[in-house]
Amino acid sequence: MDNHKIAQILTETADLMEIDGADGFRIRSYRNACQALETMTEQAADIAATEGRKLIDVPSIGKSIAAHIEEILRTGELSVHKELLKKLSPVALEMLKIQGLGPKGIATVLSHFKVPSLGELETLARQGKLRDLPRMGEKLEQKIIRSLESLQLTAGRRLIDVADHLAVELADYLKQVPDVKSVTAAGSLRRGCETVGDIDLLVSGGDAKDVATHFLKHPQIADVIAHGENKVSVHLKEGIQVDVRMLEESCHGAALQYFTGSKLHNVALRDRAKRMGYKLNEYGLFRIHDEQLVAAATEEEIYSTLGLAYIEPELRENTGELDAAEVAEGRPAQLPHLLRIDDMRGDLHMHSTASDGKFSITEMAEAARDRGLEYVAITDHSKSLAMANGLNEKRLLEQINQIRSLAKQVEGIRILCGTEVDILADGSLDLEDDALAELDVVVGSIHSHMNQPAEQMTERILKAIENPNLCIIGHPTGRLQLRRDPFPFDMEAVLKHAKRHGVAMEINSFPDRLDLRDTHVRMCKEIGVKLVISTDSHHTRHLGHMKYGVLTARRGWLEKSDVLNTLPAEKFLAALRKSG
Ligand code: DGT
Ligand code: CA
Ligand code: CA
Ligand code: ZN
């Protein structure tokens, strides 16, 4: 078991202890240990297995946590964790996802009612039974109902990076079967969706029986949902469903097209086929009048037989892609030439140890360089974000000097001076203009007072855009996927204002955020606002999230020219809004 999985169990235990009203000092020791596990370069399992070495020698890991880690390594679970779940409620952890409730609120609810499921909680809320509990009230009760509704919409869905990593691991595993030619992820994962309901894997080549037998031996499988001749569906221990389909190589393209979806895209494509005298299904494209197969091996030939240019998976949502792909006489297709990950040259949002990052400026820059980037901006938090150790003007100016002298030592990448400055409740920025004017890149973000009414929030962002030092709005809607809804504001008004003032909007690539999201990105393009794609890295490992931001950009129909950090450094700086 890797450090991340151990940390997950310990974090959940700390959450449960918080609901249980445990001592704050003890809870903090769990959280500190998790942070140590997430950042250390060695695996806890290796340390535990090495003679003469002990887990308690790792900083932040004390005697009782070390014993917990050993138990997790030995048994795969933690008895304290299980006991707390039993004592509190099997859905205690899920209740933490309900906005506005929090550990104290959950404790209050659980001390008055039995809550075996979220459905039971919803019933209590709808019957008005929560409002009279201490520190609750009708407003919070309504908020709980709304939050439960949006949780239902996303229930069982996983963030794209989680599904992506699992799919890669399973594909490698399936490729061990003799004669398997390819294993491809289809469905929402291939379309680059921000969350994934289940993982669809298509296996080409190899004997279907062998593939199924091998797959069913995978250690991560929790239970088998269906096992047919050409398809196996399972739940992984992680909770997510995986559908594996074994294909005939001859109709690989047709199956890939069908199982990539989206359903709406497929319905529209089938309608088009029908109008042209064809039938389309997962086995191929057939002429209706004589049932003759006309295309099946590749997606390209299916689209082209239907008079269409190849449509990239990220565009297959039935939002105009079929019209744009039309190749009529004398008119080429109108599809965008989608941005590619290799087009990215810079990353304009990352944190160092000066605020809440885990690595130094040099380490971040070198890691970005090793990933092929040409420039990065260090954008630590500003002073009002005290819990993230945000920088005041003095520390920021010191950091600028530090970066300028580092620039001579770190070869092969340009380090730009930046900040992620808080946009305060009234729309002013958290740092003096004089200090901001010294920087190459000013990202402005909202981290506080997110409950403002939409009108006030809109005014706040419009005012921030008017500050001539601001270059980029960071994670503009503030959402945390599966956890926190975006704060409401007038997106169109903000985008028009940003365009007028030359401010760029960020696509924050952090999988929990993906903010702006695909539909907003497309609005930017239509309005003509420029975008940047950044990782918001707090760890060198997060730099790899860039690909999810790029997928979101592609789903928003972006081309290279729509994204400022595809430009070389000098041109990027010239294109970025300049103060004065
Ligand atoms: P998800 O799993 O909720 O994130 O979304 P998808 O798009 O991966 O949906 P999924 O896994 O149910 O099906 C994968 C693709 O297979 C879907 O995008 C289109 C195709 N497909 C599956 N079942 C049907 C169906 O009953 N009708 C149609 N038209 N297409 C289907
Ligand atoms: Ca799926
Ligand atoms: Ca599926
Ligand atoms: Zn931020």
Side-chain angles (χ1 to χ4, degrees):
M1 184 168 321
D2 67 18
N3 289 353
H4 178 64
K5 290 199 180 116
I6 300 169
Q8 247 175 344
I9 298 176
L10 291 175
T11 301
E12 288 184 4
T13 309
D15 289 344
L16 291 168
M17 285 162 62
E18 208 168 334
I19 297 170
D20 198 34
D23 169 49
F25 182 76
R26 267 186 68 214
I27 297 169
R28 223 166 10 256
S29 75
Y30 278 71
R31 301 218 190 276
N32 290 342
C34 291
Q35 204 165 37
L37 283 167
E38 295 279 12
T39 48
M40 62 200 243
T41 44
E42 259 182 303
Q43 290 298 320
D46 294 339
I47 298 176
T50 309
E51 208 168 320
R53 297 193 61 193
K54 291 202 198 83
L55 283 167
I56 39 169
D57 296 337
V58 177
S60 303
I61 295 183
K63 207 167 134 201
S64 74
I65 302 271
H68 284 346
I69 297 176
E70 277 157 13
E71 184 188 341
I72 294 169
L73 287 170
R74 209 170 48 243
T75 66
E77 38 187 36
L78 184 62
S79 43
V80 198
H81 180 272
K82 283 205 305 196
E83 281 153 21
L84 278 168
L85 267 182
K86 206 164 132 198
K87 173 180 172 193
L88 297 165
S89 154
V91 289
L93 288 167
E94 287 161 69
M95 287 171 81
L96 280 168
K97 294 188 193 142
I98 300 166
Q99 292 173 42
L101 205 48
K104 291 216 175 71
I106 297 173
T108 307
V109 174
L110 291 177
S111 65
H112 289 80
F113 299 104
K114 256 197 145 49
V115 183
S117 67
L118 291 185
E120 186 61 32
L121 183 68
E122 184 166 354
T123 307
L124 289 170
R126 289 196 189 278
Q127 290 171 345
K129 289 191 175 153
L130 298 185
R131 65 183 66 169
D132 296 327
L133 297 181
R135 294 179 307 274
M136 285 278 171
E138 201 174 333
K139 225 170 132 188
L140 185 53
E141 193 176 67
Q142 286 305 313
K143 190 166 177 181
I144 291 169
I145 294 173
R146 276 200 310 277
S147 178
L148 281 164
E149 282 168 353
S150 84
L151 274 178
Q152 258 162 28
L153 284 179
T154 53
R157 300 192 71 82
R158 291 294 189 287
L159 297 179
I160 183 172
D161 63 322
V162 174
D164 183 24
H165 292 148
L166 287 169
V168 169
E169 190 184 316
L170 292 173
D172 284 344
Y173 176 80
L174 287 167
K175 280 179 200 155
Q176 294 168 0
V177 179
D179 301 324
V180 163
K181 292 239 163 56
S182 68
V183 183
T184 319
S188 50
L189 187 55
R190 182 163 182 243
R191 302 199 309 281
C193 296
E194 58 193 29
T195 61
V196 167
D198 71 3
I199 299 174
D200 301 283
L201 293 176
L202 305 182
V203 182
S204 195
D207 179 70
K209 256 207 190 95
D210 293 349
V211 172
T213 312
H214 183 65
F215 180 58
L216 289 171
K217 281 191 236 154
H218 195 282
Q220 284 304 315
I221 293 175
D223 61 272
V224 180
I225 304 163
H227 180 182
E229 209 176 313
N230 300 310
K231 179 183 165 189
V232 184
S233 288
V234 304
H235 285 127
L236 298 185
K237 287 183 185 151
E238 213 272 340
I240 195 167
Q241 180 175 332
V242 182
D243 295 343
V244 175
R245 292 185 174 85
M246 290 73 87
L247 309 180
E248 290 291 335
E249 269 180 85
S250 59
C251 59
H252 183 261
L256 187 55
Q257 197 291 314
Y258 182 87
F259 292 112
T260 295
S262 68
K263 288 189 178 104
L264 291 177
H265 173 87
N266 286 359
V267 168
L269 193 66
R270 270 204 303 276
D271 282 352
R272 179 183 176 90
K274 216 173 186 175
R275 283 198 305 276
M276 296 174 72
Y278 295 108
K279 187 179 88 181
L280 178 63
N281 59 31
E282 65 262 52
Y283 304 108
L285 184 65
F286 301 85
R287 249 184 345 236
I288 289 173
H289 74 90
D290 60 359
E291 307 237 315
Q292 177 70 39
L293 176 74
V294 284
T298 67
E299 290 187 312
E300 282 83 353
E301 62 185 81
I302 292 169
Y303 284 110
S304 104
T305 310
L306 295 173
L308 300 169
Y310 177 73
I311 300 174
E312 301 276 4
E314 293 90 337
L315 301 182
R316 300 183 196 171
E317 298 292 345
N318 196 32
T319 53
E321 72 277 14
L322 289 184
D323 287 342
E326 185 112 26
V327 265
E329 305 267 316
R331 198 200 74 154
Q334 306 291 304
L335 288 168
H337 294 283
L338 292 184
L339 173 77
R340 294 172 331 127
I341 182 79
D342 301 341
D343 294 330
M344 302 311 301
R345 291 177 190 249
D347 188 344
L348 291 319
H349 188 161
M350 66 185 64
H351 300 266
S352 77
T353 45
S355 64
D356 58 350
K358 300 283 175 274
F359 288 85
S360 70
I361 296 171
T362 307
E363 287 166 326
M364 291 305 287
E366 287 177 344
R369 175 198 63 198
D370 295 345
R371 288 179 172 276
L373 290 186
E374 296 169 20
Y375 53 96
V376 292
I378 301 298
T379 54
D380 277 309
H381 288 290
S382 61
K383 62 189 180 215
S384 76
L385 217 58
M387 70 175 194
N389 192 22
L391 280 63
N392 59 17
E393 287 80 358
K394 181 163 172 281
R395 287 180 64 209
L396 180 64
L397 294 175
E398 282 164 13
Q399 189 181 58
I400 294 174
N401 285 331
Q402 185 197 356
I403 290 177
R404 286 190 183 135
S405 63
L406 274 177
K408 295 176 201 112
Q409 293 159 38
V410 184
E411 278 174 32
I413 188 155
R414 178 149 173 199
I415 310 174
L416 303 173
C417 301
T419 176
E420 179 183 18
V421 62
D422 260 57
I423 298 175
L424 302 176
D426 65 355
S428 62
L429 302 184
D430 187 31
L431 293 168
E432 297 294 334
D433 285 333
D434 287 352
L436 294 176
E438 294 293 315
L439 296 166
D440 303 306
V441 178
V442 175
V443 180
S445 303
I446 286 175
H447 295 116
S448 63
H449 300 93
M450 289 185 235
N451 291 329
Q452 288 177 340
E455 267 174 38
Q456 198 181 349
M457 186 60 88
T458 307
E459 286 306 314
R460 176 181 180 182
I461 306 173
L462 294 183
K463 183 171 167 202
I465 287 172
E466 282 160 19
N467 183 312
N469 291 305
L470 185 91
C471 316
I472 297 164
I473 300 275
H475 48 72
T477 76
R479 74 163 175 177
L480 291 176
Q481 289 208 84
L482 313 180
R483 281 188 284 159
R484 185 172 78 205
D485 290 337
F487 43 73
F489 64 92
D490 184 343
M491 179 64 78
E492 196 180 328
V494 164
L495 295 185
K496 286 185 170 154
H497 211 59
K499 179 184 155 74
R500 209 171 304 129
H501 289 270
V503 165
M505 303 302 283
E506 175 182 88
I507 298 176
N508 189 298
S509 308
F510 219 91
D512 304 66
R513 292 192 181 272
L514 291 174
D515 183 8
L516 294 176
R517 59 165 305 177
D518 50 11
T519 48
H520 293 142
V521 170
R522 199 155 168 204
M523 263 176 94
C524 286
K525 178 158 177 138
E526 272 152 24
I527 289 174
V529 192
K530 293 292 178 210
L531 292 110
V532 299
I533 307 176
S534 298
T535 60
D536 196 356
S537 291
H538 289 68
H539 190 291
T540 48
R541 148 163 61 80
H542 297 157
L543 293 164
H545 291 152
M546 183 67 88
K547 68 175 185 180
Y548 305 117
V550 169
L551 282 170
T552 299
R554 289 165 63 87
R555 290 179 57 78
W557 291 51
L558 293 195
E559 306 188 299
K560 186 178 173 183
S561 58
D562 299 314
V563 180
L564 292 180
N565 49 332
T566 60
L567 294 166
E570 282 307 324
K571 286 194 172 150
F572 166 76
L573 287 170
L576 201 62
R577 178 196 203 177
K578 278 280 159 198
S579 62

